[in-house]
Amino acid sequence: MKTDAVPFTGFKGELFGFLKDLEKNNSIGWFHKNKIRYQSFLVEPAKAFITEMGPFLNRLNPAIRTEPKFNKTIMRLNKDMRFAKGEPYRTFLLIHFGKFKLDSEFYLYFEPGSYSMGLFINRSDEEKYFFRVNQVKFEKEIKEICARYKINNNFSLGYLNREPSSLIPKFSALRHYDALSRFDHLLLEKIKLPSEKVLFSDEIILEMIKMISALYPLYCFAISPQPMKELRIFEDNFGEQLLENYFHFIVQPMANVSGTETGVPLRISSIALRR
């Protein structure tokens, strides 16, 4: 089937410029005058990025949403003013991959002048969220996962309460496990971010894949009442070799996902090959 999707070549520095300008001129009139900038520097690159992440995520977990659409994988900038007060627009761009609204999810987040990438964990006390119960039931296993997949000391721990806030600069499950119980909305963010050179190229796709691959074993405890079963599926299909050998995983199985020999899988493969 033919597609008019624009190939992803990296995000643009103008993305940060637009967000900075919006922060200073947060009005409907200014936004409408700058809508072409919004489409060119935020919406189009975000949709292209999501499209190219799709084959990897679909194979990792088909339940994760990968449609490059607002309210699915992109948060709208405009607020619903029936329920919000103050300025009409958010001054950040959020690309997120989860199963449903407010579920635990992987994300790439841009704000004026900076960006972050990580895993949002919703440990609210509701039936559809599982981390709170699993955190108590599987403490030993979670600590082992954080050590084995090198989560310890490579991610910061923060929390979300209207705005993202930092809690522990270098999180280690061995030292800081109790901190996971302090807030309902947790953020595990990559400490050493790729350079702007990587962000502004298609190599940011591989960096996102690396991050998701490292955090996915912990994500299993957030999305299922049977996290060890989810973890076994992940390790049977991919194994720890995924962390050591991205090229083997991306080139071989992903071509079967799309059913084609060209397009997204081979573009991602070429990124891995350059590494």
Side-chain angles (χ1 to χ4, degrees):
M1 190 169 91
K2 269 190 159 184
T3 176
D4 296 325
V6 178
F8 180 74
T9 57
F11 293 97
K12 310 298 180 187
E14 289 89 347
L15 183 159
F16 295 113
F18 177 87
L19 292 176
K20 287 177 183 177
D21 290 345
L22 177 59
E23 194 173 43
K24 297 174 186 174
N25 307 278
N26 201 322
S27 69
I28 294 173
W30 183 91
F31 191 89
H32 284 177
K33 287 178 183 177
N34 289 271
K35 201 160 187 179
I36 293 177
R37 291 175 64 197
Y38 168 62
Q39 290 290 336
S40 300
F41 303 141
L42 280 74
V43 177
E44 290 175 7
K47 288 185 174 182
F49 175 79
I50 293 162
T51 297
E52 299 223 19
M53 286 295 300
F56 167 75
L57 291 168
N58 289 337
R59 184 163 189 268
L60 186 67
N61 187 329
I64 293 176
R65 299 189 295 188
T66 57
E67 309 97 316
K69 295 179 180 178
F70 290 107
N71 298 330
K72 297 285 187 180
T73 51
I74 308 172
M75 179 175 281
R76 291 185 181 277
L77 261 62
N78 57 298
K79 301 176 185 176
D80 188 337
M81 299 310 291
R82 294 174 301 170
F83 309 104
K85 293 181 180 179
E87 296 171 330
Y89 298 101
R90 301 177 179 90
T91 55
F92 61 82
L93 173 65
L94 175 64
I95 299 170
H96 54 116
F97 301 104
K99 297 198 296 181
F100 55 84
K101 186 176 180 181
L102 295 180
D103 191 23
S104 297
E105 60 187 13
F106 302 99
Y107 64 86
L108 181 58
Y109 175 85
F110 298 90
E111 58 186 353
S114 67
Y115 80 103
S116 58
M117 54 199 302
L119 171 64
F120 165 71
I121 297 176
N122 192 336
R123 58 178 301 277
S124 299
D125 189 13
E126 298 179 36
E127 285 188 8
K128 59 184 177 181
Y129 305 124
F130 304 103
F131 194 80
R132 180 184 291 260
V133 173
N134 288 337
Q135 179 189 345
V136 176
K137 188 176 179 181
F138 296 100
E139 178 175 346
K140 178 184 174 184
E141 290 81 357
I142 291 175
K143 286 180 176 178
E144 289 175 352
I145 285 297
C146 289
R148 179 151 41 110
Y149 284 88
K150 298 182 173 66
I151 295 172
N152 290 341
N153 302 314
N154 286 308
F155 292 85
S156 64
L157 179 66
Y159 62 95
L160 188 61
N161 184 12
R162 293 190 178 180
E163 299 292 332
S165 299
S166 179
L167 190 61
I168 298 171
K170 278 193 174 184
F171 172 76
S172 168
L174 297 176
R175 299 193 307 273
H176 310 120
Y177 195 80
D178 290 346
L180 295 173
S181 302
R182 290 178 58 183
F183 297 94
D184 286 345
H185 299 147
L186 302 173
L187 301 171
L188 272 171
E189 295 193 335
K190 189 172 175 63
I191 293 173
K192 190 176 180 182
L193 288 168
S195 66
E196 285 195 350
K197 182 180 178 182
V198 173
L199 180 65
F200 299 154
S201 75
D202 57 6
E203 292 193 12
I204 191 63
I205 298 168
L206 184 58
E207 293 298 326
M208 190 75 176
I209 288 173
K210 287 181 181 180
M211 184 208 71
I212 293 174
S213 302
L215 290 172
Y216 191 85
L218 182 61
Y219 174 74
C220 292
F221 292 85
I223 61 168
S224 174
Q226 297 179 296
M228 300 310 294
K229 180 180 177 181
E230 293 285 337
L231 183 60
R232 279 194 297 273
I233 292 171
F234 170 73
E235 293 184 337
D236 287 347
N237 287 338
F238 307 112
E240 294 178 48
Q241 67 181 5
L242 180 57
L243 297 178
E244 304 298 331
N245 193 346
Y246 293 93
F247 179 74
H248 173 79
F249 164 71
I250 295 167
V251 173
Q252 301 297 332
M254 283 186 66
N256 296 329
V257 173
S258 67
T260 64
E261 295 180 356
T262 58
V264 174
L266 294 184
R267 278 181 46 74
I268 297 180
S269 299
S270 70
I271 298 167
L273 183 60
R274 292 202 298 271
R275 289 298 182 89

